[in-house]
Every structure is written in C-alpha cells, then in structure tokens.
Amino acid sequence: LFPPQSSWRRETSCRRPFQWVCHKWQISIWAWLKLSVRPRVLSSRSQAPYHAACGQLHLQAVASRNEQMITTEAGRVPGNNTRIAFVGPLPPPLNGFSSVTGTMLGMLKERAAVEVFDRAWGSSARGFIRQLLQVARFFGACCSGTRFTLYLALSGGRGQIFDCLYILVSRLFHQRAFIHHHSFAYALSSNITNRMLFYLARRQAHIALSYGMVGALVRRYGLEQSKVMVVSNAAFFAET
C-alpha cells in the first residue's frame, strides 16, 4: 500500500524546491499588490505650497465675508443717513494693531460711509483730553439723528475704559456694534473693566482671531458663540 521509505524521501525532496519557489512568488505578488493599492503619501514639504494656497484663499474669503457683513448690517437700518462709526487706533504710530485697523478702514470705506474716531493715544496729557473729545463728538453725532453701526477695534489694556464709553453711547441709541478683538490678555484673565465692557457688549457681534479665542471669550464672558466670527489678522495681509 505504501511506497518504500527511500522512494518517499526522494519524492518529498524533489517537491521541496518547487514548493519553496511557489511560496516566494506568492509573497512577491502579495507585496506588489499591497504596495500598488496603497495611497501615495506626500511629504509635508511637498504639501506645504498646497496648504498655503488653500489657507490664503480661505482667509481672503473670510475677510471679505466679514467686511460684507458689517456693511450689510449698516444698510439694514431704515434711511439713507446710516454710517459706520469706526473706532480704533490708526497710524502713526505704525504697529501690528494700527496696521490691521488701517487696512480694515480702507476696506470699509470702499463699501459704506465711514466716520472715523481715532483711538491712537499720542502724548499722555493731550491724548487723554483728545480721547474724551472723540467720545463727545460721537455722542453729539448720535444726538443729531445720524444712525451708526459701531465698529470697535477693542483695546487690550486701560484703553478699554474709553471703549466702554463708545459701547455705552451705542447702546443708549440702540445701535448695532461689531467688537473686533486683537488681544488674548482679557481672554485669559479679567478685571472689573473687562467684565463691565463685556456686560455692555455681550449681545453684540464679535470678531475673534482664532477658534481658541472664541472658546476663551465664550467661557469667561458668556458670549453667544453664534455671534462670534473668526478672522485671523493674516487675512488682512493675504494679498501682500
């Protein structure tokens, strides 16, 4: 029934090379299929130009949407005497804050009538008096019947005392307001001036630099997240 042991050994010894070759071919075919269907992973260096271009287009779109939203809100008030009250520091001196506000002012002037209230401090004594006169001018313009939509580039320090006055006048005349945040100082910690300002401006529209800033402001001051939009400062320099 069974072949002699010597012949059985010869047959198995002859089959072993053939089986080994077939096994190697199976491994090679499996590896080739595995590598051919694997998606190509680009290096971070090769993806960098693509991500930069997408980020630039996104920032430009967000900045344009933000600009259109402010001017659209100003145009919703009945009457043709609606203007944007632009409150923020303008150069000189030239720094990051004043550069962004200057760019935003130029964008708004292309779409709507703008009344400028410069928050650049200047010298200590004259600057204090000048800022009080600017608030008085804003109050007088509101009393004259002009309808404003307030755009406020919020200060990061003691300048918020004057910012509170602008927001208070805006609330007295039931005006819309856009509060543009440029500092994390009051988002991470707060004092009585910060809390008073955000109490007055809690239900207004807010513009933050990032989603992290949005979360910090919402948690600390109880803002409505649906009324906070994100516009990075990089959007104002995307074309340069």
Side-chain angles (χ1 to χ4, degrees):
L1 295 177
F2 299 97
Q5 186 176 4
S6 59
S7 62
W8 176 78
R9 286 180 178 178
R10 285 196 301 272
E11 289 179 1
T12 54
S13 62
C14 293
R15 290 177 183 176
R16 284 177 183 175
F18 177 75
Q19 293 175 351
W20 181 82
V21 171
C22 291
H23 180 66
K24 289 295 183 180
W25 273 102
Q26 289 174 357
I27 294 176
S28 301
I29 294 172
W30 176 84
W32 179 80
L33 291 174
K34 190 72 175 177
L35 293 175
S36 63
V37 298
R38 179 179 297 178
R40 180 177 296 180
V41 179
L42 300 177
S43 64
S44 59
R45 181 176 300 179
S46 61
Q47 288 180 331
Y50 171 76
H51 289 308
C54 291
Q56 182 177 358
L57 292 175
H58 173 72
L59 291 174
Q60 289 176 346
V62 171
S64 177
R65 183 187 65 182
N66 175 40
E67 175 195 356
Q68 293 174 2
M69 182 177 295
I70 296 174
T71 54
T72 301
E73 288 292 327
R76 286 180 181 176
V77 182
N80 297 325
N81 59 344
T82 302
R83 302 172 66 87
I84 294 178
F86 186 94
V87 181
L90 298 172
L94 180 62
N95 51 45
F97 192 8
S98 63
S99 178
V100 171
T101 54
T103 305
M104 189 66 182
L105 176 60
M107 295 167 61
L108 293 176
K109 281 185 174 180
E110 296 178 356
R111 293 177 176 263
V114 181
E115 188 77 19
V116 179
F117 301 89
D118 191 1
R119 286 281 291 106
W121 188 264
S123 61
S124 58
R126 293 183 179 179
F128 181 81
I129 298 174
R130 181 171 176 268
Q131 293 303 321
L132 288 178
L133 292 177
Q134 293 273 24
V135 177
R137 184 166 67 90
F138 178 55
F139 180 76
C142 294
C143 291
S144 66
T146 305
R147 294 290 299 175
F148 283 107
T149 293
L150 176 65
Y151 170 86
L152 174 64
L154 190 63
S155 304
R158 296 179 181 178
Q160 288 189 359
I161 297 175
F162 293 98
D163 295 338
C164 283
L165 297 177
Y166 283 99
I167 296 175
L168 181 60
V169 173
S170 179
R171 284 200 58 175
L172 288 175
F173 291 91
H174 305 285
Q175 298 171 355
R176 294 179 175 89
F178 288 81
I179 315 301
H180 199 160
H181 303 277
H182 294 270
S183 174
F184 275 90
Y186 51 83
L188 303 178
S189 62
S190 60
N191 53 37
I192 186 172
T193 305
N194 306 144
R195 292 190 291 270
M196 181 173 60
L197 185 145
F198 278 92
Y199 175 79
L200 294 173
R202 181 175 299 174
R203 297 185 178 180
Q204 302 294 343
H206 294 261
I207 307 169
L209 297 179
S210 64
Y211 292 101
M213 178 181 281
V214 173
L217 294 174
V218 169
R219 289 190 300 269
R220 184 167 293 276
Y221 301 106
L223 302 181
E224 297 183 27
Q225 192 165 358
S226 60
K227 293 186 177 181
V228 185
M229 66 190 79
V230 177
V231 177
S232 171
N233 282 343
F236 298 96
F237 307 101
E239 296 180 357
T240 60

